[in-house]
Amino acid sequence: MSDDCGEAGWSGTRDVREPPVPVVVDLRYALPPQRIGVQPGTPLIVRAGGIDNGRQVNAELIAWHLTATGDRWAHLRGVELVSRNGRGYLTTEMWVPEAAVRPRERRAQP
């Protein structure tokens, strides 16, 4: 689905941000662990090379969107996911719940 899918069809549930807003994403809320601790038998290569979902990463907020149940989700771009060992990385778009997003602090200009 693209951004030009027709705003009228969303009945006011989509709030596009132009220009995009710099934000910080808490991956603990965006990609929450499905269990406490590491699953027994998880190979070391997976523990080291898997996405580090305990990080806070920068992204850009493209839009807020409401679900049919009233939850607010953020459409993000430029989300940088990094492996636990720091060797692997990728930049992606993703949707995350509102609790995972906060405004990025602006640094004071000297």
Side-chain angles (χ1 to χ4, degrees), residues 62-74:
I62 297 172
W64 288 107
H65 207 109
L66 295 174
T67 65
T69 56
D71 297 317
R72 198 160 84 142
W73 282 68

Side-chain angles (χ1 to χ4, degrees), residues 19-44:
V21 178
V23 295
V24 174
V25 183
D26 190 333
L27 295 179
R28 295 173 301 171
Y29 297 102
L31 301 172
Q34 301 302 301
R35 60 187 58 86
I36 297 174
V38 177
Q39 172 126 1
T42 301
L44 181 58

Side-chain angles (χ1 to χ4, degrees), residues 1 45 52 62 105:
M1 184 186 299
I45 195 166
D52 185 353
I62 297 172
E105 293 179 15

Side-chain angles (χ1 to χ4, degrees), residues 1-6 10 14:
M1 184 186 299
S2 68
D3 282 338
D4 58 357
C5 57
W10 290 114
R14 183 170 170 83

Side-chain angles (χ1 to χ4, degrees), residues 45-66:
I45 195 166
V46 172
R47 289 186 277 166
I51 295 170
D52 185 353
N53 56 343
R55 289 181 180 250
Q56 292 187 9
V57 299
N58 292 332
E60 290 185 321
L61 174 66
I62 297 172
W64 288 107
H65 207 109
L66 295 174

